[in-house]
Amino acid sequence: MATRSRTPTHFLVSTILVLECLGSVFGQEISSGNIRCFERERQALLKLKDDFVDETGRLSSWGVEMDCCKWSGVWCNNVTNHVTRLNLRAPPPISQNGPSVGPLRGKITSSLLELKHLTYLDLSSNDFGYSNIPEFIGSFDKMQYLNLSSANLARQIPESVGNLSELTHLDFGSNSGLYSENLGWVAHLGSLQYLDLSYADLSNASNWLLAISKLTSIKEMHLANCELPGILPSSLPSIKTSAPLVTLDLSSNPGISSSTFSFFLNFTISLTSIDFSFNGITSLDNLGIGFHNQISLEHLDLSNNNLESGIPEFFGNMSSLMYFDLSYRTRELTRLGPIGLVT
Ligand SMILES: *[C@@H]1O[C@H](CO)[C@@H](O)[C@H](O)[C@H]1NC(C)=O
Ligand SMILES: *[C@@H]1O[C@H](CO)[C@@H](O)[C@H](O)[C@H]1NC(C)=O
Ligand SMILES: *[C@@H]1O[C@H](CO)[C@@H](O)[C@H](O)[C@H]1NC(C)=O
Ligand SMILES: *[C@@H]1O[C@H](CO)[C@@H](O)[C@H](O)[C@H]1NC(C)=O
Ligand SMILES: *[C@@H]1O[C@H](CO)[C@@H](O)[C@H](O)[C@H]1NC(C)=O
Ligand SMILES: *[C@@H]1O[C@H](CO)[C@@H](O)[C@H](O)[C@H]1NC(C)=O
């Protein structure tokens, strides 16, 4: 009987030893059941929670459950178990009677660095109090989606962002304190499909058009309110692009003139929406053949420019155009039928 009682105990002890060894090899906690989370990543998330000021307890569930893969806003890869997605976007403010959820405050700290496997990071709509986008953001070499929009970020956009070669979506829009003096870093983002730098001050980034012309995958671009400097017509012939742009918003950049507008018309054929409102376009007379290529164009906003001449006849040939706005200051809307505008 003695042998029968000893064997299970012995088996149990060795099983625990094996599990502990595996646990330390993989850095995971296996002993408490189905925990997938890596301890180092769990600690990093807890540190991040400490670093943020979370007035409305949005991260209060963090740490209660042992497995960080189950924490709100955290996703782990189901094969590697590494934290690959972090979505801490602040929800839009809701009615006074609803639960109170507000932005995270504080700043983006290097605790984030331990989450090396991140492919998706959304910290948008929080309030980082005019702190900067940290230089280390460029070291997440697997990052595909980075959204830091409307987050009260300021100072110079780090050029290290140009190291994120897997990036498909980059949204730094609506941070009015951001600036970049040289957009050379953008040119490296060969996988980029979506770019929003609206409200960043790009007034010294005279290479902006050259930089974005290198984006061979870009489909949607928002550079509104960027104080984009004008492009000398003499430098335009040296710039070409094969960007498959569908949506282009360069509104509220008074330095943008007819020749820049003409540049985009010449080099793109897939545009469905163009917003060049509140720019410095004075004439539509010399747009070249570009406009005739825009057979997909549905939305064209040229309101609040300084148009001195009339509307060229070929506008009437753009059969897809459904929205065409040429109003001045009043932002009055002109709706077109499928036949187009006939003057
Ligand atoms: C991992 O998740 C993906 C997407 O949710 C799913 O398609 C896939 O089957 C999962 N793989 C495993 C091993 O569970
Ligand atoms: C980034 O987040 C904001 C909300 O905070 C959202 O409106 C925007 O569409 C997001 N950008 C992308 C590229 O998904
Ligand atoms: C970006 O890449 C350059 C060279 O390719 C390197 O020197 C630099 O340290 C990188 N920056 C980051 C933040 O990874
Ligand atoms: C642009 O350059 C001028 C002159 O060097 C400098 O004074 C100004 O701060 C710069 N502004 C931005 C937003 O880069
Ligand atoms: C657009 O193409 C026309 C030729 O059709 C050319 O005359 C004009 O200079 C081009 N404009 C730009 C900005 O490249
Ligand atoms: C408009 O299209 C018609 C028919 O395709 C063509 O004959 C005409 O030349 C075009 N007009 C302009 C101004 O491009």
Side-chain angles (χ1 to χ4, degrees):
M1 287 297 124
T3 45
R4 278 173 80 185
S5 67
R6 205 181 294 138
T7 311
T9 317
H10 180 250
F11 175 75
L12 195 65
V13 168
S14 21
T15 308
I16 289 171
L17 278 174
V18 167
L19 284 177
E20 276 176 358
C21 287
L22 279 175
S24 58
V25 166
F26 296 113
Q28 281 171 283
E29 308 209 7
I30 295 178
S31 50
S32 13
N34 271 335
I35 294 181
R36 296 159 58 204
C37 174
F38 284 82
E39 179 60 18
R40 260 185 310 175
E41 296 184 347
R42 199 176 76 92
Q43 291 302 330
L45 286 165
L46 288 175
K47 182 75 178 33
L48 204 61
K49 175 184 172 175
D50 271 355
D51 296 344
F52 287 142
V53 180
D54 179 17
E55 285 156 357
T56 55
R58 285 172 49 204
L59 307 181
S60 56
S61 72
W62 285 25
V64 176
E65 155 80 52
M66 279 300 282
D67 188 357
C68 73
C69 297
K70 294 181 179 152
W71 296 355
S72 115
V74 180
W75 280 265
C76 297
N77 179 289
N78 57 7
V79 178
T80 67
N81 290 341
H82 281 294
V83 173
T84 52
R85 290 165 66 104
L86 188 59
N87 182 355
L88 301 180
R89 176 190 295 190
I94 39 178
S95 72
Q96 290 154 337
N97 304 328
S100 132
V101 274
L104 299 170
R105 297 182 204 280
K107 53 185 226 157
I108 304 171
T109 64
S110 58
S111 307
L112 200 60
L113 261 179
E114 190 60 54
L115 307 173
K116 293 182 173 57
H117 300 268
L118 282 180
T119 61
Y120 185 109
L121 177 63
D122 188 343
L123 299 176
S124 66
S125 301
N126 289 301
D127 181 359
F128 297 120
Y130 295 98
S131 60
N132 60 318
I133 298 175
E135 182 79 27
F136 66 72
I137 204 82
S139 56
F140 294 93
D141 56 0
K142 301 187 174 73
M143 194 73 82
Q144 295 170 358
Y145 178 100
L146 179 58
N147 193 342
L148 303 179
S149 66
S150 309
N152 262 337
L153 288 160
R155 309 222 272 273
Q156 176 132 253
I157 300 173
E159 297 191 354
S160 65
V161 175
N163 285 13
L164 302 176
S165 57
E166 308 275 306
L167 214 53
T168 60
H169 291 73
L170 177 61
D171 194 343
F172 286 170
S174 302
N175 288 290
S176 53
L178 284 180
Y179 68 92
S180 179
E181 299 198 90
N182 181 334
L183 279 194
W185 57 272
V186 166
H188 298 291
L189 302 173
S191 307
L192 206 61
Q193 295 171 21
Y194 183 106
L195 174 66
D196 191 341
L197 297 178
S198 295
Y199 290 92
D201 186 340
L202 304 180
S203 57
N204 288 342
S206 49
N207 63 344
W208 69 271
L209 188 61
L210 184 61
I212 63 173
S213 72
K214 312 274 194 212
L215 298 175
T216 50
S217 306
I218 196 83
K219 292 186 182 134
E220 182 161 352
M221 184 156 60
H222 301 269
L223 298 175
N225 282 282
C226 288
E227 297 184 45
L228 289 172
I231 303 290
L232 284 177
S234 59
S235 68
L236 276 172
S238 61
I239 310 179
K240 296 191 172 17
T241 186
S242 58
L245 270 173
V246 175
T247 300
L248 177 63
D249 177 4
L250 295 187
S251 62
S252 300
N253 288 289
I256 300 270
S257 63
S258 315
S259 53
T260 307
F261 183 46
S262 159
F263 170 84
F264 284 101
L265 298 178
N266 276 7
F267 286 107
T268 59
I269 50 167
S270 42
L271 279 164
T272 64
S273 173
I274 301 180
D275 189 347
F276 270 75
S277 61
F278 293 89
N279 287 347
I281 297 172
T282 51
S283 161
L284 300 176
D285 286 341
N286 298 306
L287 293 176
I289 54 160
F291 234 129
H292 302 258
N293 297 335
Q294 304 304 322
I295 50 169
S296 312
L297 196 60
E298 291 168 7
H299 182 113
L300 174 62
D301 193 342
L302 292 175
S303 62
N304 296 285
N305 280 281
N306 287 311
L307 288 171
E308 284 152 5
S309 57
I311 303 163
E313 245 179 71
F314 61 77
F315 270 60
N317 276 12
M318 287 189 288
S319 54
S320 304
L321 196 61
M322 292 303 288
Y323 175 99
F324 179 40
D325 192 344
L326 264 180
S327 60
Y328 189 64
R329 302 207 192 283
T330 58
R331 309 221 89 207
E332 187 188 302
L333 183 116
T334 312
R335 237 173 214 295
L336 301 180
I339 303 302
L341 183 81
V342 185
T343 44

